[in-house]
Amino acid sequence: MSRPATFTPPPGTRAHRLRTDRGAFAALTGEPERGPVKGTALLLPGFTGSKEDFIELHAPLSAAGYRTVAVDGRGQYESEGPKDDERPYRQRELALDVLAQAAALRAGGGTGRIHLLGHSLGGLVARAAAIEDPTPFATLTLMSSGPAAVAQPQQERAKLLQDALAALDMAQVWEAIQGLDAPEDAADLRGDGEDLRRRWMSNSPAQLVATAEQLRTEPDRVAEVAALGLPVHVLSGERDDTWPVPLLDDMARRLGAVRTVIAGAEHSPNTDRPEETAAALAAFWDRHPTA
């Protein structure tokens, strides 16, 4: 999860519901103020995160000519989802949601193919969507998202969180997280920020349990992604305890991907170094027009 500096959309960015054939999803969309729109990017947040994790990317990417649409996934923050049924949060179901979001953007915005980006868990979902059907997508960016399950210490911490969610309510788990060595993503929840607590409390417990299981058990699907022929960008900070940087380097090599390491950033370059991250994204997308 990223820890956004603010939950208030910047000027030029609007909050709305993205309506699709699989339901409505809370979204933040940034539009270029002038000049032609070069393309549309769909941004998927990570575990315990939300669309606000990309809030500092909208302005620089809009200035670069890109429409940016960040979404809350099913059962994530302001997107509805069942509280006690994990089946709608299986990875393929989340991937089908992404394909529906892409279809809605293409139908409603008159845009060409979509630049798809997933951060952390969102990267696992993004690649699953591309494997399911690559045709809506011009490129795939995996931001701080690795080839398979998270590192062993993170697997153990994710299991602790799953166990806590099975025994306690969301408010009790929130209080426990403040004093525990939680998963790296969930550890970012520590603090007194009311926005962070509200976001946590709005998540579906079933979604958190199901997606934590994906982080713990995800198989290596790099060969499947490589076979798609999509241009891929692997972007990360210079330090990452969820998927170590050498593992991301090797994944990029296996994919034949463009590799970007953002100096001074860790697991969330989108919030750690947003200007540098946006510049790297725009440079990659500029190489792959979506028309």
Side-chain angles (χ1 to χ4, degrees):
M1 184 201 75
S2 303
R3 192 178 183 125
T6 179
F7 277 62
T8 302
T13 302
R14 64 187 177 95
H16 64 105
R17 309 293 288 182
L18 177 59
R19 303 194 181 280
T20 80
D21 290 342
R22 289 176 62 85
F25 297 86
L28 289 175
T29 294
E31 298 277 359
E33 291 184 9
R34 59 183 66 87
V37 177
K38 295 180 181 178
T40 297
L42 177 60
L43 314 178
L44 312 182
F47 183 61
T48 73
S50 70
K51 59 191 179 301
E52 285 74 18
D53 295 347
F54 303 107
I55 210 160
E56 293 181 274
L57 296 183
H58 291 292
L61 287 173
S62 294
Y66 288 95
R67 176 185 296 115
T68 47
V69 183
V71 296
D72 291 336
R74 184 180 301 275
Q76 189 176 45
Y77 190 30
E78 294 181 325
S79 289
E80 295 180 357
K83 302 290 187 183
D84 55 4
D85 183 359
E86 295 176 32
R87 290 173 297 177
Y89 307 113
R90 291 171 180 165
Q91 190 180 84
R92 184 169 186 268
E93 294 300 316
L94 299 179
L96 292 174
D97 287 346
V98 173
L99 290 170
Q101 293 159 8
L105 290 173
R106 297 181 78 190
T111 187
R113 291 174 298 149
I114 303 292
H115 294 296
L116 180 61
L117 179 151
H119 172 242
S120 196
L121 171 74
L124 303 184
V125 175
R127 74 179 188 179
I131 291 168
E132 185 76 25
D133 180 6
T135 57
F137 306 116
T139 66
L140 172 64
T141 296
L142 304 174
M143 179 187 288
S144 304
S145 186
V150 295
Q152 185 63 37
Q154 301 301 327
Q155 292 182 38
E156 294 168 2
R157 293 168 182 173
K159 182 61 166 64
L160 285 174
L161 184 61
Q162 287 177 300
D163 292 344
L165 288 165
L168 304 172
D169 64 30
M170 291 290 284
Q172 291 170 320
V173 174
W174 170 265
E175 294 303 322
I177 285 172
Q178 306 311 300
L180 290 178
D181 186 19
E184 180 172 306
D185 281 350
D188 283 341
L189 294 166
R190 288 197 293 262
D192 297 326
E194 185 55 38
D195 286 330
L196 294 176
R197 186 180 189 280
R198 185 178 68 253
R199 175 167 70 176
W200 169 261
M201 293 298 298
S202 298
N203 280 310
S204 158
Q207 180 264 127
L208 293 172
V209 171
T211 53
E213 186 68 13
Q214 292 175 36
L215 289 171
R216 293 178 55 233
T217 63
E218 178 76 3
D220 190 317
R221 306 191 72 183
V222 173
E224 293 176 79
V225 176
L228 300 175
L230 273 178
V232 180
H233 187 191
V234 175
L235 184 149
S236 74
E238 63 183 355
R239 177 180 174 275
D240 197 316
D241 292 336
T242 303
W243 285 280
V245 168
L247 194 67
L248 298 175
D249 293 339
D250 181 67
M251 181 180 73
R253 179 189 59 78
R254 293 167 61 196
L255 288 168
V258 172
R259 179 74 174 106
T260 300
V261 177
I262 303 296
E266 298 190 13
H267 186 59
S268 296
N270 43 312
T271 55
D272 293 343
R273 294 290 186 272
E275 292 287 340
E276 295 88 338
T277 299
L281 293 173
F284 174 64
W285 294 339
D286 283 348
R287 300 177 208 169
H288 303 284
T290 60

